[in-house]
Amino acid sequence: MVSMNDRLELAVGAKTAKALSGALELHTVGDLVHYYPRRYAERGQLTDIAGLELGEHATVMARVKSVNERRMREKRGWILEVVLTDGMRTLECKFFNQRHHAAKLKPGVSALFAGKVSIYHNKLQLTNPDYHPLDEDTDVDAIGEFIGLIPVYPATAKVQSWQLARCVRQTLGMLDPMEDPLPDKLRTRHGYISYDEAVRAIHQAKDWAGVNVAKERLKWGEALAVQLALAQRRHAALARPAPVCARKPAGLGAGFDQRLPFTLTAGQREVGEAIAVDLAKEHPMNRLLQGEVGSGKTVVALRAMLQVVDAGRQAALLAPTEVLAAQHARTLAAMLGDLAQAGELGGAEHATRIALLTGSLPAAQRKQALLDVVSGAAGIVIGTHALIQDKVEFADLGLVVVDEQHRFGVEQRDALRTRAGENKSPHVLVMTATPIPRTVAMTVYGDLETSSLRELPAGRSPISTAVVPVAEKPAWLDRAWQRVREEVAAGHQAYVVCPRIGEQQSADEDVNEALESDSDGRRPPLAVLDVAEELAAGQLSGLRLAVLHGRLPTDEKDAVMRSFAAGDLDVVVATTVVEVGVDVPNATAMVIMDADRFGVSQLHQLRGRVGRGKAAGVCLLVTESPAGTATRDRLDAVASTLDGFELARVDLEMRREGDILGATQSGKQSALKLLSLLRDEDLIAEARAEAQALVAHAPDLADFPGLAQMVANLVNDTRAEYLEKV
Ligand code: ADP
Ligand code: MG
């Protein structure tokens, strides 16, 4: 017999154990039994060949359609060409100098075939694949291995799916019943099968009903572990003391409200009220504010910051980029006027100061800013996430506002918790324009209260979006540039966005992450530097044009943004540095080159940069991807709606789940294997309610060691990146 922590040698022998650990990082019995099938094949149901992805190591169930043997030129040997079919499409297998396969692969034979999917002369093919013949007529295959459904594991060329199945079968046969982390009462109340039954059934499913029952049970366990961890976090966070910031009737906040040039929307007032109440409490606020691009989150944040300053404390505003931090500093200074000019001529009574801290500040300025922060002279401190997070000493930090956060997760939020004085945790307000589907809100942001701004301030103009398919309609691109010229002629401004900077590559450039994984032989994405040069000499000649990207020195970036904001530039050709928060109301047009290289949410964010003023905005998504492809569908989805929530859903569907909930690709083990944010909304909600009740009863889960262990495993899982990412 073996147990979960035993090395795999004990179960499968040294040679196989070595292959499993080398190819898939499966070292222990537990690793292997928790390595679940990706899908199941059903006897007689051939795998849909159209669904194969180029470059993937695929395992397909197919039937041999025809076999042909021929000599290679110059007598270099023999090629055996086996054509497989799924009944509709064909897939070619080529064996080089392996004529013996012809004896096993006769027309009509069904088998599992595994290999890397490639394309040759426009035809899908597998080269020198591995295969495992099956007998379609009986329940038992050629070597008597599979009964019922055939599990298909994430496999590699070194260890094929059917070899994994054999190892798992052997191992499960030697394993005592596994202990259930869920207390019996809890489990039976929700009607789930036991852990042992579920794990065995997921590998050796007799039928689909069996698979589903097992999956539900295991998913629920995963969801419960996440929700317990989050409930404990919420509980711990709420228990900490916070810097109390009572409202002041005649302070900066009141002064600011009086001079607001517009009336607040109902949403802004409502959320503002909730925040004001929270800030006056003795335990920290942890709130997520979501609101469409342009919904006016900044004002909400500023009013909160002023309440904190009025209470004699400091507020920090963290932005994801230096450009955005600098812009925030300018916007806030302009909005506050003399209220932010303490110590200057004309500064108002009770006035405070704004300190801007960016990495590239000249030494003297930086020193002054740090001094203002540590002395408390600056009530409002603006900087990038990285900077403020680890280096800066505050006199009395009361509130941290995190703006436009995409990659700012639980751990970073935790890092802030120790930043207030006297062992207190500052209040935290996280703002995002990327609408967060409910399931993500319940997991990645599960430790935050959420509020939403659902309406845009009155007088906003609509943005129209269109796809410019250059493959089919090359003339439309000319029309796009003409459109830009028209906008400029009408006194407006435009952005042109490209996925790449160009010329030399550097490690820290802020290109789209998607590019790095791009190895499928497409041409490199268009670059800012090339496109700008071409436009300046051609389609947009005569216009005042500048480039903006992450490789520019900060003061240059700043200068470009400033002259664009001042109307001294007509067109900015930029990377995604303009993605978040940039606010130039006079900009009305955006042309996004190689739009297919960007994600859905990113495109939505980008387009939010136009139509921020009185004039209508237009966004043109330029792409070479042909109609009917998934990529094109994605762009059409962006063009068809301005509803960020709808797009967030599309985005979630498009992204691999692993990107959100920790990696589950072959070889990487994660505590969350089956849970899907897209499909398991109800299950997550149910687990959340259960977790809240359990933690409210006993935060340390003392009565339920199994549950406590489950949470500990999750938290210890060093790859539990789902807590950090969206
Ligand atoms: P976002 O939510 O995208 O961060 P901002 O806070 O940048 O939006 O606001 C977008 C623009 O709308 C800013 O120019 C801001 O001054 C303006 N604004 C905010 N609230 C209102 C309001 N209630 N009425 C009119 N304009 C507003
Ligand atoms: Mg903003």
Side-chain angles (χ1 to χ4, degrees), residues 167-180:
C167 294
V168 170
R169 194 163 39 86
Q170 245 168 318
T171 307
L172 286 177
M174 299 169 71
L175 192 62
D176 280 331
M178 290 164 261
E179 216 174 297
D180 202 320

Side-chain angles (χ1 to χ4, degrees), residues 291-299 324 327-328 403-404 431-433 580-583 605 609 612:
E292 275 291 337
V293 171
S295 58
K297 296 183 291 293
T298 316
V299 179
L324 202 52
Q327 179 187 284
H328 270 315
D403 189 27
E404 305 288 1
M431 307 198 290
T432 177
V580 285
V582 169
D583 186 22
Q605 283 286 316
R609 303 305 115 210
R612 295 173 77 83

Side-chain angles (χ1 to χ4, degrees), residues 343-398:
E344 289 175 46
L345 215 58
E349 201 187 343
H350 323 293
T352 186
R353 274 222 295 269
I354 297 176
L356 172 66
L357 275 171
T358 57
S360 49
L361 228 47
Q365 255 170 284
R366 183 180 163 78
K367 204 168 152 203
Q368 181 58 49
L370 285 170
L371 212 63
D372 281 356
V373 178
V374 76
S375 69
I380 295 177
V381 184
I382 301 173
T384 53
H385 298 159
L387 202 71
I388 290 198
Q389 230 170 286
D390 41 58
K391 300 209 187 86
V392 181
E393 289 273 344
F394 291 85
D396 188 354
L397 182 60

Side-chain angles (χ1 to χ4, degrees), residues 58 149 210 246 252 276 356 405 441 444-445 464 482 496 499 556 660 713:
L149 295 176
L252 287 172
L356 172 66
Q405 63 105 44
V444 182
Y445 297 102
S464 58
Q482 201 181 321
V496 177
E556 251 175 76
I660 300 149
N713 290 347

Side-chain angles (χ1 to χ4, degrees), residues 629-646:
T629 57
T631 325
R632 190 54 183 281
D633 290 351
R634 223 161 34 112
L635 297 182
D636 289 339
V638 175
S640 71
T641 180
L642 286 171
D643 181 344
F645 278 92
E646 173 57 27

